Amino acid sequence: MLDDFLDHAFNIWILDTENEVPPRVEYSITDKGLTLRPLLEAMHSWGSLMMD
């Protein structure tokens, strides 16, 4: 549900499905998705501080 929303709303990753049993799905991030990196790093730093 969330992955569908993010995929359609922001196009931040590429979904690649394989015809295997069981099905395998691989995600890769787009250039647009990479722009979130500074935000995610800041959230990681904040979370690490809160753990101490």
Side-chain angles (χ1 to χ4, degrees):
M1 177 186 264
L2 178 60
D3 59 339
D4 289 336
F5 168 75
L6 292 173
D7 186 42
H8 295 333
F10 303 108
N11 296 317
I12 60 173
W13 60 61
I14 298 169
L15 174 64
D16 183 26
T17 57
E18 303 290 334
N19 287 330
E20 296 178 359
V21 176
R24 179 174 49 131
V25 178
E26 294 183 11
Y27 292 92
S28 57
I29 196 158
T30 63
D31 290 339
K32 189 173 185 179
L34 286 173
T35 64
L36 294 171
R37 187 178 187 128
L39 172 66
L40 295 174
E41 288 175 346
M43 291 172 62
H44 177 266
S45 296
W46 179 83
S48 295
L49 287 172
M50 296 299 111
M51 295 294 290
D52 294 337

